[in-house]
Amino acid sequence: MSVQSHYDVIVVGGGPIGLSAAWRSAVGGARVLVIDRFGFLNDRCGSSGNERHWRVQYTQTDIFRLTLSAAPLWRELEQLAGRKLIHRLGSLWFGDISVPTNEGHIADTAKAMDEMEVCYEWLSARDIGRRWGFTDLPRHFEGFLQPDGGAIDVRGTLAALATLASRNGVTMHSDERVVAVDPDANGAHVRSDRAVYRADKVVIAGNAHTNDLIQRWGVDGLDLNVYEMALVTLRQRDDGVQRPFWFAFQQPSDTDTNLFYGFPPNPWAGDDLVRLGPDFEVGALEHADDATGRPQQAHVDRVLGWARTHMPWVAPDPVSTSTCLAVLPGDPDRQFYLGTAEGLVDGGSNVVVAAGGWAFKLVPLFGRICADLALRGSTEHEIGRHALTDLVPSRG
Ligand SMILES: Cc1cc2nc3c(=O)[nH]c(=O)nc-3n(C[C@H](O)[C@H](O)[C@H](O)COP(=O)(O)OP(=O)(O)OC[C@H]3O[C@@H](n4cnc5c(N)ncnc54)[C@H](O)[C@@H]3O)c2cc1C
């Protein structure tokens, strides 16, 4: 196949981070192509479903600074889109305050909030029960409410980013799969199942499918685990209580990580549906394409068991269940991969990679960082923890 077209930047993957990177690159003056194998706004990868948790607090202060930097970019996005995307319902973390999890660590996060001068309210199990109606919480449970947190409108964000990308001249190809990114000293060839393109810079934002492209360079790939996580939708009984987003931190059980979270009804949906999930990092898929779209019944049962014990305000039978592909680095402290592939492959400085983690909250910032790395070769933000380099040993 001969090279069809030349772009300044090609973005592989049109999920929220890819769309954000494409939009920001175009705003920076680049001629941009974004390619997605399933289509923009698809519900088959890491951004399926309706809502994500917005929180500023992080256990690691460098990542905390990133969320604080993301906040004004969300406001800018909301202004440009002419719609509210973050709904500030509050972010409630409670449970065993010393258990380390992929979400964070309650006690250390409280210290980080003190250091960053971010306000929160400390609560006992009793407070949490009295205020929001959680029942039978172990007495040693404690936690905090951070009032700026809440829920992100996922579909609204995707629609806003796709509109902004298109309005700023980004060429958008859907139902096209990139099969190889081959960098060299001057740029990279991007081969898809339709064509071969040439770009000065490439952003790989394929999330669960990132290693398909990276492993072609003769390296082992990023240490990413892909989990097909369950989501359970239940109906809330009308008790007039406005609840925050909540995350329950518990010691791992014999079978799973024993972590649960839930959203109150979405303010933008105007219904009485609550969404609960287990955050079980167990049973990683061999490959993202092995996903079935059906949650494991054992995980659904665990969520329903938790709800029956602690949430008398929801009807016990699920309205529906679904899944989402969670893509998590093996090292929970790292949280994300974000940086160039310099040192991993010849011409690696011409390729930027963003993959993994609970990254929806950082979408406008990660888009900007990807564009900065692609257009300028650097970013003002502290992303050293997330670099690709030393974790991907060469096979050669
Ligand atoms: C159950 C669950 C709960 C979560 N909760 C939160 C939360 O509360 N807060 C939070 O901040 N984050 C959360 N996350 C994480 C967040 O949803 C993801 O980090 C984010 O949606 C990922 O966006 P993305 O653009 O990186 O990837 P994706 O949305 O996965 O998009 C990747 C895109 O790349 C395309 N693609 C892949 N390979 C190719 C290829 N070879 N060629 C062309 N296209 C390709 C795919 O089709 C896809 O559209 C959660 C995730 C899950 C699964």
Side-chain angles (χ1 to χ4, degrees):
M1 264 193 275
S2 59
V3 173
Q4 274 201 343
S5 322
H6 182 280
Y7 292 88
D8 298 324
V9 177
I10 293 180
V11 179
V12 181
I17 290 180
L19 285 172
S20 182
W23 162 50
R24 286 287 181 192
S25 299
V27 169
R31 191 162 170 262
V32 184
L33 167 67
V34 56
I35 304 174
D36 197 280
R37 64 184 280 193
F38 297 129
F40 308 100
L41 279 72
N42 78 72
D43 221 6
R44 298 175 57 172
C45 296
S47 304
S48 55
N50 294 326
E51 62 283 289
R52 290 293 185 276
H53 179 201
W54 162 248
R55 58 165 157 133
V56 288
Q57 76 269 9
Y58 255 91
T59 308
Q60 305 91 337
T61 46
D62 54 341
I63 308 180
F64 206 143
R65 273 190 284 277
L66 292 180
T67 56
L68 292 175
S69 301
L73 298 182
W74 276 108
R75 286 195 289 275
E76 181 197 9
L77 183 57
E78 287 178 321
Q79 241 169 21
L80 290 170
R83 62 192 289 178
K84 194 167 175 174
L85 299 172
I86 293 186
H87 296 256
R88 288 183 173 72
L89 309 162
S91 168
L92 172 67
W93 282 16
F94 65 87
D96 189 326
I97 66 167
S98 59
V99 67
T101 74
N102 218 317
E103 184 82 351
H105 179 284
I106 294 180
D108 288 351
T109 303
K111 279 188 215 143
M113 286 192 286
D114 292 338
E115 198 179 313
M116 309 293 275
E117 298 184 351
V118 164
C119 67
Y120 63 94
E121 186 182 355
W122 192 256
L123 300 155
S124 67
R126 213 170 195 215
D127 299 328
I128 293 163
R130 231 186 272 149
R131 207 139 131 197
W132 295 292
F134 289 95
T135 48
D136 279 340
L137 295 181
R139 285 174 64 172
H140 72 278
F141 273 20
E142 289 178 272
F144 59 78
L145 177 74
Q146 205 296 317
D148 302 317
I152 308 171
D153 175 353
V154 167
R155 301 289 117 201
T157 302
L158 282 164
L161 289 168
T163 303
L164 286 168
S166 157
R167 207 185 281 160
N168 283 277
V170 173
T171 304
M172 299 168 74
H173 288 186
S174 61
D175 303 304
E176 178 172 352
R177 187 163 73 92
V178 171
V179 293
V181 172
D182 299 320
D184 54 47
N186 302 313
H189 281 96
V190 174
R191 256 188 321 115
S192 80
D193 50 11
R194 268 198 235 162
V196 181
Y197 308 93
R198 180 79 191 159
D200 295 347
K201 304 284 175 177
V202 176
V203 176
I204 298 179
N207 204 22
H209 296 89
T210 305
N211 279 336
D212 295 353
L213 299 172
I214 286 187
Q215 282 168 340
R216 289 183 52 95
W217 301 337
V219 295
D220 285 345
L222 308 179
D223 176 22
L224 286 171
N225 297 316
V226 180
Y227 303 99
E228 193 169 25
M229 285 202 183
L231 292 163
V232 180
T233 301
L234 295 159
R235 212 169 278 290
Q236 175 171 285
R237 299 192 178 102
D238 183 12
D239 59 1
V241 178
Q242 173 61 60
R243 295 186 175 84
F245 167 89
W246 57 267
F247 195 103
F249 291 69
Q250 305 182 117
Q251 294 290 347
S253 73
D254 292 342
T255 52
D256 54 55
T257 39
N258 203 17
L259 305 168
F260 299 93
Y261 64 90
F263 290 88
N266 285 336
W268 62 93
D271 57 29
D272 59 355
L273 300 176
V274 297
R275 213 102 41 206
L276 310 189
D279 177 358
F280 290 173
E281 290 132 44
V282 291
L285 300 177
E286 277 287 315
H287 189 276
D289 286 341
D290 297 337
T292 63
R294 287 184 308 278
Q296 287 188 43
Q297 191 55 44
H299 293 187
V300 172
D301 291 344
R302 292 270 289 125
V303 173
L304 294 175
W306 204 91
R308 272 183 211 121
T309 310
H310 303 296
M311 303 172 64
W313 71 89
V314 296
D317 295 323
V319 175
S320 62
T321 61
S322 56
T323 63
C324 182
L325 286 186
V327 187
L328 299 173
D331 170 8
D333 241 16
R334 142 182 292 282
Q335 294 279 334
F336 320 99
Y337 280 96
L338 183 61
T340 71
E342 192 168 8
L344 300 181
V345 58
D346 289 345
S349 60
N350 294 321
V351 180
V352 177
V353 177
W358 307 122
F360 209 99
K361 64 183 77 64
L362 292 160
V363 157
L365 179 69
F366 278 13
R368 176 179 272 195
I369 291 175
C370 287
D372 284 349
L373 292 174
L375 303 184
R376 294 197 279 114
S378 66
T379 173
E380 72 202 63
H381 297 282
E382 194 182 337
I383 55 167
R385 179 195 293 274
H386 318 292
L388 278 67
T389 34
D390 49 339
L391 287 180
V392 191
S394 171
R395 280 188 202 138

